[in-house]
Structures are given as structure tokens and as C-alpha cells.
Amino acid sequence: MTGLVIGSGVDVPGEPVTLDARRFNRHTFWCGQSGSGKTYALGVVLEQLLLHTELPMVILDPNADFVRLPEAREDASAAEAARLAELDIRVLRSSGDSPGDSSGSSGDGSGKSPAGRLRARYVDLTPASKAALLQLDPIADAEEYNVLLRAEVRAENFDSAGALAAFRQSSDPGEVRLSYRMENLQVLEWDLWSRGAGSVVDVIDQRPRATVMDLGGFTHPAESKVAALAVLEHLWTRREDRKPILIVIDEAHNICPPDPQTDVERALTRQLVQIAAEGRKFGLWLLLSTQRPNKIHPNVLSQCDNLGLMRVNSPRDLKELAGVFGFAGEDQIRRSASFAQGQALFAGGFLSEPTFVQMGRRITEESGGDVGVPLRGGR
């Protein structure tokens, strides 16, 4: 099945609207302001991809909106629920076991790490990413940077306390200085590190249909970004395998902002710019969701060939969208300012012409909904 039914026509009520699943081999930009129904609607599309294609996906989920993706709603049809139950959907969380992890495995086949934990290996990062994590400049911190380049540590025997002790006792001044930097920044104490056990990249290499990375809940604000960097870097390193995967990034402005501020943010943005520019031919396809186009790095935004647009009121944002996505008319894009919740404009390669859609129902449970206003007297 190549047609994914995502809803019905706004201008032709009751007429099903389908997206061509084959055209998700292009980068997609998904945009809508708060309250437009953007996350719910994105779930509709992801569900259809899960049910009607074999395309694996990894979902970077900062607000735990998709952690219940393995769970069918009570009003889902028996066929939909049965199909969903067959799918290998892994949910990895920053702490605790995930109720949505349908695999029951550690992700590395070793049984060493608890099921459902989002963990990465420090030693799997490239030297450049480790340097970004440790705020090292290759020129200003030449000796310490060189220690990173020369270090050969295997994942199965890496021990942070032992590494610090060995560097501290070394006769090499660069290693001693690096030990102080590691200890002062406390990066080796993060909960993110698997410490010799399974890593999120092991899970992804097993090719489940979906891997949901719940990026919220880490103690240090950089941990979620490093988790994303570890995955994107790994996928790019393995790009010659040419195994297709859809990389879904919700609240994408947290991952590829136009003006990254920290070394880790700059490394993450560089990697995404590279994937946006060159990843398509290797089967690395992006689906980026955010509230405003100017919150995404322009070199990533400009590579998107599909558009899903929900309500956007800002004239400045509408003008920018019309300039970037010329395959949708300016009048059509401007109409999004009057959309009701759940209405969207779809344009680009995955349908024959720009189309206004009333999004269909979800078949999986949604998480992360709005918090209601408490009323007096239980009303």
C-alpha cells in the first residue's frame, strides 16, 4: 500500500486524503503553532507509516508525546490493534523501565541493561564530539585534545573512575589536565552513560519498526542533546549500509537551532546539516516538527521537499514559509492563519497537489496533552 489515509478534505468533506508513502524518501518539514494540533496530527502520520510500510523510524521525543505509541486506543479497530501488536516498537526513557517497550530486551543482546532505558556509550562518540562535550578546542587545548585522539578505550572495559585515576597518575601533562577537566565538568557522572552495558545505537541496529527516545527527564540539560548526537553520528557513520530509516525530530528547534550556543549544540547542528544535505541518497530521511520556521537552521530547512503546515498566525513566518516552499502557493500558505485545530496544508512530493486536510483520528494513545485549568467546586 503506497497511499496513507491521513484524514479528509477540508474543501471536499468526506473525501479521503492520502499521502504517497514512497515520497517520505525526502526530508519533511512539519510546522504549526502551539494549540494547532501539530503533535496529534504528526501521530496520525507516524501511525499510518507504521501500519502500512516497513520503514523503520527513530523518534527523538523531548516531551514524551510518543511514549505510548505501542498502545492501541480503545476505539481502534480490531485489525488496527492486532497489526500494532505485531510491530516491534521500543520506547527508551531517561529513567526507569518503559511500559511501552514491547521488546523486553536490553537492546544489545547482553541482558546487562534494564529494558526501556535510554543510554549511550561515551566511548562510541567520535573524538570531535567528545571534545565538544568537554569544551575542548583543538588549538587552545592542543595537549588535552591530542589525548582524546590517541586514547583507545574499548566499550566493554571502560570505567570512568578508573580512567580518571589513570589520567591523574600519568606522567603526561595533557592527560593530567584532561582528568581535571573531566572531573570538574562531571560529564562522566551523567545518567546517560551505559557504563559498559547496552546503548541506544545497539537497539537501532536491530532495526525495530520504531525506536522512541524519550529525551526528557535527564538531570543535565546537555544529556538529551548528546543522546541525539550519539544516534545521528552513528547513523551517519553507517550511511554506506544504505538501510533506510526515518529520523523524526519533534520540537526540532532544540536539536538544530539557527544559532547554536554551546559546543554540543554546534556539533549536533553540523551533523544534521550534513544529513539534510547528503543523507537522502543513503536512506537517512528527516521529518522535522517545530512551531516556527525561523527556529530551524536554514541549511536544514532549505533541504525539505515535503511540507505539513498547521495553523500559523505570524505574518513573518508565513512569508518565510512561502519563500522556502515555493511548491505551495503563497495564498495557500497564508490560509493556514485561519485553520481550525486539526486542519493542515500538505504540499510537496507526497501528494499530487497542495491539499487542505482535516486530520483523521489517532489509533494509539497520545501522551503529553495539555494540562487543564483547575475549576472550583469540581466543575
Side-chain angles (χ1 to χ4, degrees):
M1 177 176 178
T2 61
L4 309 177
V5 180
I6 59 163
S8 58
V10 171
D11 298 327
V12 188
E15 182 73 21
V17 176
T18 62
L19 301 181
D20 188 343
R22 298 169 299 182
R23 297 308 180 187
F24 279 87
N25 67 344
R26 299 292 189 272
H27 305 315
T28 301
F29 183 61
W30 193 276
C31 186
Q33 67 186 44
S34 179
S36 64
K38 172 171 54 71
T39 301
Y40 183 97
L42 177 57
V44 172
V45 174
L46 297 184
E47 290 167 358
Q48 291 299 306
L49 284 168
L50 283 170
L51 293 176
H52 301 296
T53 77
E54 296 298 328
L55 176 63
M57 62 180 74
V58 55
I59 303 170
L60 277 58
D61 184 10
N63 296 324
D65 287 323
F66 297 101
V67 296
R68 300 184 69 184
L69 197 59
E71 304 175 36
R73 291 165 54 101
E74 290 185 1
D75 57 355
S77 71
E80 290 169 335
R83 174 61 180 143
L84 188 67
E86 295 173 353
L87 301 176
D88 184 3
I89 300 174
R90 320 281 182 95
V91 179
L92 307 180
R93 311 191 85 158
S94 57
S95 61
D97 292 349
S98 167
D101 183 1
S102 62
S103 70
S105 71
S106 68
D108 67 347
S110 67
K112 293 180 181 178
S113 67
R117 302 295 291 272
L118 176 55
R119 296 294 180 259
R121 284 187 289 261
Y122 168 81
V123 296
D124 284 348
L125 296 173
T126 65
S129 292
K130 291 176 187 173
L133 183 61
L134 294 168
Q135 303 173 33
L136 284 171
D137 183 271
I139 304 302
D141 309 299
E143 287 185 271
E144 293 166 73
Y145 195 95
N146 189 256
V147 171
L148 284 182
L149 293 178
R150 291 186 287 107
E152 294 184 4
V153 183
R154 296 180 61 83
E156 57 266 26
N157 58 24
F158 178 75
D159 172 71
S160 58
L164 282 174
F167 283 153
R168 184 69 54 81
Q169 297 166 10
S170 172
S171 60
D172 184 336
E175 293 186 353
V176 174
R177 279 196 291 272
L178 184 60
S179 73
Y180 286 123
R181 181 182 292 266
M182 287 177 164
E183 190 168 28
N184 291 345
L185 293 175
Q186 299 183 318
V187 294
L188 296 184
E189 299 176 16
W190 287 358
D191 290 337
L192 172 66
W193 306 126
S194 61
R195 295 177 173 84
S199 165
V200 58
V201 300
D202 301 323
V203 175
I204 292 171
D205 280 347
Q206 292 176 11
R207 307 292 289 178
R209 284 302 317 282
T211 304
V212 181
M213 296 171 55
D214 176 12
L215 297 175
F218 285 114
T219 303
H220 194 284
E223 286 182 89
S224 60
K225 293 181 172 61
V226 173
L229 179 59
V231 168
L232 294 173
E233 200 171 64
H234 178 75
L235 291 174
W236 181 252
T237 300
R238 300 289 298 271
R239 65 190 181 279
E240 290 293 349
D241 293 348
R242 296 180 182 270
K243 293 181 177 180
I245 189 166
L246 183 65
I247 305 167
V248 182
I249 307 179
D250 196 19
E251 306 296 346
H253 51 274
N254 294 320
I255 304 297
C256 56
D259 54 347
Q261 300 297 306
T262 68
D263 290 342
V264 168
E265 288 178 353
R266 283 186 280 272
L268 192 50
T269 300
R270 280 195 300 270
Q271 185 63 84
L272 264 173
V273 167
Q274 191 168 38
I275 291 174
E278 306 174 50
R280 185 182 62 79
K281 61 186 176 184
F282 297 110
L284 302 180
W285 306 320
L286 299 172
L287 197 168
L288 307 165
S289 175
T290 190
Q291 296 177 11
R292 303 183 65 184
N294 63 5
K295 298 176 76 172
I296 297 293
H297 196 285
N299 291 344
V300 175
L301 183 64
S302 63
Q303 296 296 326
C304 294
D305 293 325
N306 295 321
L307 174 65
L309 177 62
M310 305 195 76
R311 186 174 69 250
V312 171
N313 289 333
S314 166
R316 178 181 175 183
D317 291 342
L318 294 172
K319 182 177 181 180
E320 181 174 357
L321 286 163
V324 174
F325 299 101
F327 46 78
E330 186 173 349
D331 290 342
Q332 293 170 317
I333 287 178
R334 192 181 300 118
R335 180 174 165 181
S336 69
S338 63
F339 282 169
Q341 188 179 52
Q343 293 182 342
L345 166 66
F346 284 87
F350 47 30
L351 30 61
S352 59
E353 61 183 5
T355 304
F356 296 101
V357 183
Q358 179 65 54
M359 298 300 299
R361 64 182 179 87
R362 290 281 297 268
I363 64 169
T364 65
E365 293 288 353
E366 183 184 13
S367 299
D370 293 341
V371 176
V373 176
L375 303 177
R376 294 184 63 185
R379 290 179 295 175

